[in-house]
Amino acid sequence: MTGGANALPYWRLSSFYLFYFSLLGATAPFLGLYFAHLGFASARIGELLAIPMLMRCVAPNLWGWLGDRSGRRLDIVRFGAFCTLLTFSLIFVSHSYAWLALIMALHAFFWHAVLPQFEVITLAHLREQAARYSQVRLWGSIGFILTVIGLGKLFELFSLDLYPWALVFIMSGIVLSSFWVPNATPQARPGAAGQGGFLAQLRQPGVRAFYMGVGLMQLSHGPYYSFQTIYLESLGYSRSLIGQLWALGVVAEVLLFIVMARILARYSVRVVLLASFLIAALRWLLLGNFADQLPVLLFAQVLHAATFGSFHAAAIHFVQRRFGARQQGQGQALYAALAGTGGALGALYSGYAWSSLGPLWTYVIASLAALAAAVIIATRLQEERA
């Protein structure tokens, strides 16, 4: 993993993923809890959590077009990371709903500029070793694990008033690691799928079905990312244990990433995606019905290996194979944007359903969304080896 002029800069790439997904580990389990700590109702929490997802619908496409047009993807990553830190720091000025909504929009606009462009850089470094992507990306999962365990323990011992400071620390790590990463440009693949303009590539068989599945998968995660921590706390679980439960899911994800190259060599992307959707439908039913039973809850958390791990790895491979070198940024950005659209709708519906329908039916809706994605992939996506 080291040595040689063209050696993969494994640790530099991995360090960025570690800090980037540490921020996700700080926000996904705890941001809703922090807003509840500030006194907001579930509907307002859902709206605040939906705003970054809505920005994810717009920002990646803008930055992706700019990255493909200019080729300066690493500059965009560094600029986005710095502005994320700068705009989020405004949280120390006020905690009013309108001010927090503005902060959620501003920092998310820049944060969502970062990852799609960095994915293109990583795949450009990997070149023909794209199956090794999971070995680099697993350090993001490790960062998530360390963060949820550490913050879970921290907030059990101290007040949630420390939460913004923790996020600023992690964002600073993202900025610093972005300046350690060397640049790389994707190479054109003669004869590969994905020739012509971006819209022409988007019209390839199964591509639109894939993006529909992406949106539905993220919609199904709405209750989990928005209210799971609040839900478990209401069932009597400690914040420390809740952090460990989040970490367990990502440990399972890491273990899957380690063997993902072999799975994609044996099974088509279609089969991996279909299995991921079906397992997601099961997972949400288990969380909605049996979250008060720790053994079932532990099993449901292990299923995160499929609902995020195998799904994300297969999706990255799909985009990398279906789009040409000059459209990689837009392909990854559209993946992020559709995920953002689904995530925003998931946060909104779960925010309104949580208080009116309750956790059970909120998770039933999530399960149906994942099942719908499975049907689309089963009927509209062709077999394709990664």
Side-chain angles (χ1 to χ4, degrees):
M1 292 179 184
T2 59
N6 298 316
L8 176 68
Y10 180 83
W11 292 113
R12 298 188 184 197
L13 295 170
S14 298
S15 69
F16 183 89
Y17 281 107
L18 185 143
F19 279 108
Y20 185 92
F21 285 95
S22 290
L23 184 56
L24 186 61
T27 53
F30 300 113
L31 186 55
L33 189 65
Y34 178 67
F35 290 147
H37 171 72
L38 294 179
F40 292 106
S42 61
R44 301 291 84 76
I45 293 172
E47 291 163 2
L48 287 170
L49 295 179
I51 292 171
M53 295 295 186
L54 289 171
M55 296 309 297
R56 194 177 175 188
C57 306
V58 178
N61 289 313
L62 173 62
W63 295 110
W65 174 84
L66 185 61
D68 286 337
R69 184 91 171 177
S70 67
R72 301 179 64 179
R73 293 189 174 89
L74 189 56
D75 290 336
I76 291 173
V77 168
R78 290 168 176 169
F79 177 75
F82 176 76
C83 290
T84 299
L85 171 62
L86 185 66
T87 53
F88 183 81
S89 298
L90 296 172
I91 199 170
F92 297 109
V93 175
S94 171
H95 291 157
S96 71
Y97 176 81
W99 187 253
L100 289 174
L102 177 64
I103 292 169
M104 291 298 102
L106 286 175
H107 98 274
F109 178 77
F110 294 107
W111 188 31
H112 293 312
V114 170
L115 187 61
Q117 300 309 306
F118 196 80
E119 299 278 34
V120 176
I121 294 168
T122 298
L123 290 167
H125 277 295
L126 289 168
R127 297 181 184 269
E128 299 305 317
Q129 306 176 69
R132 290 185 61 195
Y133 166 82
S134 297
Q135 298 172 13
V136 177
R137 170 59 182 80
L138 69 84
W139 283 97
S141 302
I142 291 171
F144 188 105
I145 292 166
L146 294 174
T147 302
V148 293
I149 291 177
L151 291 185
K153 191 64 177 178
L154 180 70
F155 298 144
E156 190 171 279
L157 297 174
F158 302 102
S159 169
L160 274 161
D161 292 332
L162 293 175
Y163 181 72
W165 292 101
L167 265 61
V168 164
F169 174 80
I170 295 169
M171 289 173 181
S172 300
I174 298 174
V175 173
L176 293 175
S177 63
S178 72
F179 283 92
W180 195 34
V181 175
N183 201 10
T185 304
Q187 293 182 323
R189 303 184 303 279
Q195 301 306 309
F198 176 71
L199 292 178
Q201 295 170 37
L202 195 58
R203 289 193 291 268
Q204 294 178 80
V207 172
R208 284 172 290 185
F210 162 76
Y211 281 117
M212 288 177 63
V214 168
L216 286 168
M217 183 61 135
Q218 293 307 310
L219 186 151
S220 79
H221 278 73
Y224 180 70
Y225 285 134
S226 300
F227 292 100
Q228 181 68 5
T229 299
I230 296 172
Y231 180 37
L232 295 181
E233 195 170 51
S234 73
L235 293 175
Y237 295 99
S238 69
R239 288 178 182 173
S240 179
L241 179 57
I242 292 169
Q244 293 166 17
L245 287 166
W246 278 85
L248 173 63
V250 187
V251 168
E253 171 192 312
V254 169
L255 296 176
L256 186 75
F257 276 143
I258 292 172
V259 300
M260 199 64 213
R262 279 177 281 176
I263 292 174
L264 286 170
R266 183 170 182 178
Y267 299 101
S268 68
V269 169
R270 176 178 176 267
V271 168
V272 175
L273 289 173
L274 181 59
S276 301
F277 290 131
L278 291 174
I279 292 171
L282 171 63
R283 186 187 184 198
W284 307 141
L285 289 177
L286 292 176
L287 288 178
N289 285 276
F290 305 109
D292 58 335
Q293 300 182 29
L294 185 58
V296 178
L297 182 57
L298 292 171
F299 175 68
Q301 287 303 93
V302 170
L303 295 183
H304 188 75
T307 62
F308 178 82
S310 62
F311 166 75
H312 179 68
I316 290 294
H317 279 289
F318 181 91
V319 173
Q320 196 253 353
R321 292 175 65 85
R322 288 298 187 100
F323 290 91
R326 291 185 59 83
Q327 290 79 34
Q328 282 285 304
Q330 293 175 79
Q332 295 290 355
L334 185 59
Y335 169 54
L338 267 294
T341 302
L345 292 174
L348 283 172
Y349 102 76
S350 58
Y352 296 126
W354 200 259
S355 55
S356 58
L357 300 178
L360 171 59
W361 285 105
T362 304
Y363 270 115
V364 167
I365 295 170
S367 181
L368 291 174
L371 193 59
V375 172
I376 291 171
I377 293 300
T379 57
R380 302 289 299 277
L381 194 65
Q382 299 173 338
E383 291 282 345
E384 180 181 344
R385 298 277 177 187

